[in-house]
Amino acid sequence: MKKIDELNKKIERLESKLQQPSSTGSNILVLVPVAAIITWGLTKIF
């Protein structure tokens, strides 16, 4: 469960960075690999 908490904190930090005004295209480029890494990480945990 500790790893999940760490992942949640990282996601929150990333989301707060994404909330800052920037071009939508770069946000999508960031979100796609992040989502892939998170799903991969979660499959490794469970």
Side-chain angles (χ1 to χ4, degrees), residues 2 4 7 9 12-14 21 24-25 27 30-31 33 35 37-40 44:
K2 190 180 175 194
I4 294 170
L7 274 172
K9 284 177 191 166
E12 283 168 20
R13 268 185 242 129
L14 282 165
T24 312
N27 282 355
V30 170
L31 278 173
I37 291 164
I38 290 165
T39 3
W40 175 81
K44 290 279 181 189

Side-chain angles (χ1 to χ4, degrees), residues 22-37:
S22 65
S23 69
T24 312
S26 64
N27 282 355
I28 292 166
L29 286 175
V30 170
L31 278 173
V32 171
V34 166
I37 291 164

